[in-house]
Amino acid sequence: MKPMELTKEEQQMLNGEAGYAARKSMEILTALGEIYGADRLIKVGSVQVAGVSYHNLGDAGLEFLNELARDGKVRVLTTLNPAGMDLENWRNLGISEDFAAKQNLVIDAFRRMGILVSCTCTPYLIGNLPRYGEHVAWSESSAVTFANSVIGAKTNKEGGPSALAAAFIGKTPRYGLHLDENRVPNIHVQVNAVLTKLSDWGALGFSIGKKAENKIPYITGIKEAELDELKSFCASVVTYGAQPLFYMRDITPGAENHQPPIDSVTVEDRDIKDAYDSINDQVTDIELVCVGCPHCSIKEISQIAELLEGKHVSENTEFWVATSRVAKQIADKRGYTEIIEHAGGKFACDTCMAVAPLKGRFKSLATTSAKGCFYSRQNKMLTKMGSLQECIDAAVTGKWS
Ligand code: F3S
């Protein structure tokens, strides 16, 4: 392992001359750089930090954050991934007082570091929007995939500590997807399947993720894609596959600079059906319906309001809309919140079905998201994935039909 070349300022930070958090951060970044063969650190335009839920951090994680918060201040725009609860209406979601107290300590530590307490996996929808080609250090896998592929920014999939270290130094080691030679697609995926609803994009991500294995897909055959469809695809393809980067010809930037790789696979209608068969369990009674994985855009919230207006959520079911607080504030002004809450739906701002402490609370879940199903199964729930209409129907009837 060859040590990275450090500037005078970086060396001083590593020596502890700029305080504890800077030294700790430099130790993390230099260790990573050496393991992955980086030659130096490069500046990043922004950071997105995962590992925010107390459910995942525990007391050891909280202690680590408090240590860093003693003298650590971020140097670049830094936003947070979802926390374990809605920071304002946690009682409404059935979160315990004890959990809320711990989660608030975690948030307080991040706030003292100068981090924007945004708590969303769609930072690009709330103002943390890199430009094409910009180096960033993000950690939430769906957001990393969106940044690399849909925006054309450059980031590795950071862990929580390495993202925080990048935020304190404003830099990250130059390796992996920061290097153009590692961003070349190496499997051609021809999509012949017809996609008709949002959840089909999750199924497509499942299929491509499995078929591409560890390779970077160059996808052809898709004529058009909306932002919400791409964000759903990003979440799924990296959950069921390995690479947080793909190219989609005529849709995502940079695809025009590459030719379809020789190695190739196709995705047919039967592959989409197989994906649904793998993701869906045998279950009829639905205890939780949660949409917003990744977090709902304002457009998705408007669609939910339209479908739910004049109906009422079943007394046997909870219906959650997971989104950013910023999107919720727009929903408040547009009247969508009133419609959804009047129908018995609940907003789950700042959090999501994967990082909230839901294990043991619900036995079954319906959602539009393939990634949501993956993590909910880890929480021991039986899962159903379908269209927004099917999810609303499940919320209203308490049944998946
Ligand atoms: Fe976001 Fe949670 Fe899904 S972090 S991508 S809503 S699992």
Side-chain angles (χ1 to χ4, degrees):
M1 283 192 297
K2 198 165 153 250
M4 280 195 301
E5 257 183 48
L6 299 183
T7 65
K8 195 169 158 216
E9 189 199 12
E10 289 162 4
Q11 189 60 57
Q12 285 169 339
M13 289 192 283
L14 183 59
N15 295 345
E17 292 170 39
Y20 173 81
R23 175 173 68 75
K24 200 83 202 150
S25 300
M26 282 301 297
E27 285 171 2
I28 292 170
L29 297 179
T30 51
L32 262 180
E34 281 169 28
I35 290 166
Y36 290 104
D39 56 350
R40 60 189 165 89
L41 297 177
I42 47 168
K43 284 189 177 167
V44 292
S46 72
V47 172
Q48 194 254 357
V49 176
V52 181
S53 171
Y54 175 73
H55 185 56
N56 303 328
L57 285 166
D59 285 330
L62 174 57
E63 197 181 317
F64 173 72
L65 293 176
N66 273 327
E67 290 277 295
L68 289 174
R70 278 190 321 196
D71 67 353
K73 283 274 177 278
V74 299
R75 291 186 171 209
V76 292
L77 172 68
T78 304
T79 56
L80 289 180
N81 213 38
M85 64 182 197
D86 186 310
L87 298 181
E88 293 180 7
N89 291 319
W90 48 270
R91 280 191 185 84
N92 199 24
L93 300 182
I95 301 292
S96 73
E97 300 274 342
D98 287 351
F99 184 89
K102 294 284 193 179
Q103 183 64 70
N104 281 330
L105 290 175
V106 170
I107 295 298
D108 185 53
F110 283 127
R111 195 173 274 127
R112 280 182 278 136
M113 297 172 192
I115 294 177
L116 196 68
V117 178
S118 50
C119 298
T120 181
C121 51
T122 55
Y124 45 87
L125 294 182
I126 60 131
N128 186 354
L129 179 63
R131 62 178 165 75
Y132 179 76
E134 187 173 21
H135 295 278
V136 296
W138 286 17
S139 41
E140 203 288 313
S141 65
S142 73
V144 167
T145 310
F146 193 96
N148 276 322
S149 315
V150 182
I151 300 170
K154 297 175 181 177
T155 176
N156 289 317
K157 199 164 60 173
E158 300 291 345
S162 68
L164 259 184
F168 288 137
I169 304 300
K171 295 179 182 177
T172 193
R174 185 173 168 272
Y175 74 93
L177 293 177
H178 290 288
L179 301 172
D180 287 342
E181 63 261 35
N182 295 330
R183 299 178 64 90
V184 178
N186 44 12
I187 185 162
H188 177 197
V189 182
Q190 168 66 31
V191 177
N192 298 322
V194 179
L195 309 174
T196 59
K197 56 191 182 206
L198 181 65
S199 50
D200 289 351
W201 290 80
L204 180 69
F206 175 99
S207 184
I208 293 181
K210 299 267 182 203
K211 287 182 186 232
E213 295 175 338
N214 199 28
K215 300 193 182 110
I216 297 173
Y218 179 94
I219 302 163
T220 57
I222 297 202
K223 303 272 181 302
E224 51 188 26
E226 294 189 4
L227 181 135
D228 291 326
E229 293 165 342
L230 288 170
K231 96 177 153 56
S232 175
F233 177 75
C234 286
S236 176
V237 76
V238 70
T239 298
Y240 293 98
Q243 289 288 350
L245 170 64
F246 63 86
Y247 296 87
M248 210 176 263
R249 192 161 71 189
D250 300 329
I251 307 275
T252 64
E256 65 282 3
N257 301 330
H258 299 282
Q259 291 300 317
I262 309 276
D263 189 5
S264 90
V265 292
T266 65
V267 175
E268 311 292 341
D269 287 331
R270 68 171 177 278
D271 293 309
I272 299 298
K273 186 184 170 303
D274 288 349
Y276 276 97
D277 289 347
S278 298
I279 289 167
N280 283 340
D281 292 309
Q282 291 295 332
V283 61
T284 306
D285 294 334
I286 303 295
E287 297 187 359
L288 174 67
V289 178
C290 184
V291 292
C293 173
H295 270 174
C296 279
S297 66
I298 189 63
K299 183 175 172 188
E300 290 175 304
I301 297 174
S302 76
Q303 291 165 341
I304 294 164
E306 194 177 319
L307 291 171
L308 205 52
E309 188 157 25
K311 304 196 174 92
H312 206 277
V313 172
S314 161
E315 59 186 18
N316 301 320
T317 307
E318 293 231 356
F319 177 59
W320 289 12
V321 178
T323 191
S324 67
R325 191 152 296 282
V326 173
K328 161 79 164 38
Q329 282 161 353
I330 301 170
D332 292 348
K333 290 211 168 73
R334 300 280 300 173
Y336 304 141
T337 304
E338 201 184 339
I339 294 170
I340 292 167
E341 290 184 343
H342 186 71
K346 296 178 180 178
F347 275 84
C349 293
D350 320 309
T351 188
C352 82
M353 63 188 109
V355 295
L358 297 186
K359 206 171 189 171
R361 264 186 71 189
F362 302 101
K363 289 197 221 49
S364 53
L365 166 111
T367 179
T368 51
S369 168
K371 178 176 177 178
C373 289
F374 180 89
Y375 283 101
S376 297
R377 275 181 170 175
Q378 293 191 346
N379 276 336
K380 305 278 176 249
M381 292 187 223
L382 297 171
T383 59
K384 284 287 189 195
M385 178 178 78
S387 67
L388 196 51
Q389 178 72 65
E390 288 169 303
C391 286
I392 300 282
D393 289 346
V396 170
T397 61
K399 310 257 179 225
W400 190 265
S401 57

